[in-house]
Amino acid sequence: MNIRDAKQEIKNTLRAYHRRDSAGRCLFPAVRQRPILLMGPPGIGKTAILEQAAAEAGVGLVSYTMTHHTRQSAIGLPHIESRTFQGREFQVTEYTLSEIVASVYACMERTGQQEGILFIDEINCVSETLAPTMLQFLQNKTFGSHKIPDGWLIVAAGNPPGYNRSVREFDVVTLDRVREIDIEADLAVWMDYARQKRVHGAILSYLTIHEDQFYQVRQTPAGASFVTARGWEDLSELLQGYEALGLPVTEAQVGQYLRNEDTARGFAGYYRLYRKYGEAYGIPELLDGTAADLSEQAALARSGSFDERFTVVNLVLDSLNGWFFRARQSDRAVSALHGALSAFRLFLRDREDCECLEAFLQGRRDALRVKETAGLLTQEALADETWVLERLETYRLELLAGHVRDKEAGFSRLKTLFQQEVDSRAGLVEAVRGRLDRAFSFLAEAFGDGQEMILFVSALTRGDAAMDFISLHGCDAYLQYSGKLLYREREAELQEACRAALEEGGR
């Protein structure tokens, strides 16, 4: 199973386990709520999908890596208590609350979420003294004598023996009490994720051409040689950070993330070409309409090597994607601001004048602080609300500067200020549409409707931000070329069916 399907399975499991009747009783017997055991190679995103699944399902998340824990931190510290049995007093050993179970209760208290995911990573790499505790945890959902609260899904993850010499095999008794999901590296799925996360365009371009270098783990006489999805994503952050600072990126630095000599050398060389082509073609100028001669650049791209042509397409995509994300962010932010102003309109009803905007703002700031502390906001939601608060504070200061106190006059002024945001958003949309149209014109002149155009259209189709923009604001060229692509695919399917029929008839 790929990582995307595994995330969906976790979300489906949460829904199934948390089904309740009209009286609030759980319909899925607790004893049948098996923990999920994710088994797969390192660095493919097992931890990331748990964070995404919890956020998308709106539940809490507590994560632990078991190689960092001892038996005492897992089950608690022993202490002596007095107990009376059949009239006699005995000294018995009790345990303090497990650190892990305590973290679950702390998460419930902090976030107000009574349901969630307890994620235990590297569960099959624990020490010999902790191994029995982990088996008991998977079998009985307890650490020592302390039970995991109801409503919390247990998800554990581990690496197969081929990737870690410290791995311990689970026995049949344990495996018969869990749902094991085997996860494999899948470049197509990761590329969709990478586009959403705005992974550096050079990485997306390189992996489009060199699919076999996406994930590699093997032992060599010199030690482990590996390239993982985590390595590519972390390298992307380095590239973007260094570029912002104007710092050079060396092959040695690439090799710190891609721990395979051939892949590190290959990508480092390609990255230099990517940067070189970006400067030579002047993609930003081509897309914003300030390039001197579109035909000259198109002819240069048409005469380039296979790698150069594909790199040019990906440079165009990379530049466009930045604008698609800006447009989507603007759409979200303006919508959030509209909602905040509607809420202020209601808040204003029982107030004497529009100076109450300060109290309204303070209430939203306090609410944001609580949600942020509780971990209830995605990065996008946090950015949107922060922007809304900044705009409202600017509006408040403008009302003060204009000595506007009257409710109706004040809100009328706010509507005028909001319309400026709407107009700015409309200007951004037109700027993005112009760039998209010019991208199609350039690629059509350079490559016609060849494989480069197919790559471009396919990448747009798979990009969430791109499709959000096109579905909202349209693009005739996209409809034209995607229609041709669909026709070609159907034609190929029909030809394949005809060949199969002829072969069958010849037997």
Side-chain angles (χ1 to χ4, degrees), residues 434-452:
R435 283 169 168 79
L436 182 57
D437 288 341
R438 283 186 283 273
F440 271 106
S441 297
F442 168 67
L443 294 176
E445 184 169 350
F447 310 119
D449 57 358
Q451 58 183 351
E452 295 84 2

Side-chain angles (χ1 to χ4, degrees), residues 280-343:
Y281 282 91
I283 299 299
E285 292 75 21
L286 282 174
L287 299 185
D288 66 19
T290 60
D293 190 351
L294 186 73
S295 299
E296 182 178 337
Q297 297 296 77
L300 180 64
R302 187 165 51 250
S303 63
S305 65
F306 172 85
D307 283 6
E308 181 173 346
R309 296 197 305 273
F310 267 55
T311 299
V312 168
V313 172
N314 279 284
L315 282 164
V316 172
L317 283 166
D318 194 25
S319 182
L320 281 176
N321 281 333
W323 287 93
F324 290 143
F325 277 98
R326 285 180 61 182
R328 185 163 70 175
Q329 184 180 24
S330 177
D331 285 344
R332 286 198 329 265
V334 171
S335 178
L337 181 58
H338 181 268
L341 289 173
S342 297

Side-chain angles (χ1 to χ4, degrees), residues 268-286:
Y270 181 79
Y271 175 72
R272 288 192 292 271
L273 284 175
Y274 189 88
R275 298 277 290 172
K276 178 182 176 182
Y277 290 148
E279 295 172 2
Y281 282 91
I283 299 299
E285 292 75 21
L286 282 174

